């Protein structure tokens, strides 16, 4: 048996969850930046959780998204960045 398959067997099918989590996170971020409501912040946070838990290599992606929103959106994006970073 190949040790790589033994170590990474459970992560081969996580790409669909990662793509869905990334999409959900981006949709939530855009919706929250347009109209900051709790539901949009919740969607961004849920997408960040799905993205971070899809593969252990993807833990850094929600952090990078939150930092990018914080830098790009300025004061208006602080709630959105906080929702993504905390999730």
């Amino acid at each position: 048996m190949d040790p790589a398959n033994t170590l990474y067997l459970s992560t081969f099918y996580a790409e669909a969850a990662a793509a869905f989590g990334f999409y959900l996170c981006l949709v939530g971020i855009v919706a929250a930046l347009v109209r900051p409501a709790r539901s949009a912040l919740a969607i961004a946070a849920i997408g960040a959780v799905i993205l971070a838990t899809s593969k252990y290599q993807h833990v850094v992606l929600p952090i990078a998204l939150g930092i990018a929103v914080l830098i790009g959106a300025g004061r208006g994006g602080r709630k959105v960045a906080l929702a993504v970073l905390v999730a």
Side-chain angles (χ1 to χ4, degrees):
M1 285 190 65
D2 186 15
N5 284 339
T6 306
L7 292 173
Y8 298 112
L9 186 60
S10 62
T11 63
F12 281 157
Y13 300 104
E15 283 79 15
F20 178 70
F22 184 66
Y23 171 76
L24 197 62
C25 192
L26 287 180
V27 166
I29 287 171
V30 169
L33 288 175
V34 171
R35 180 175 290 174
R38 286 187 187 187
S39 59
L41 294 174
I43 290 171
I46 290 170
V49 168
I50 292 172
L51 179 60
T53 58
S54 65
K55 277 180 136 177
Y56 67 90
Q57 294 97 337
H58 296 158
V59 171
V60 178
L61 291 176
I63 296 170
L65 278 172
I67 291 171
V69 169
L70 187 63
I71 291 170
R75 283 191 79 123
R78 284 191 181 171
K79 286 184 183 180
V80 181
L82 185 65
V84 173
L85 287 173
V86 169

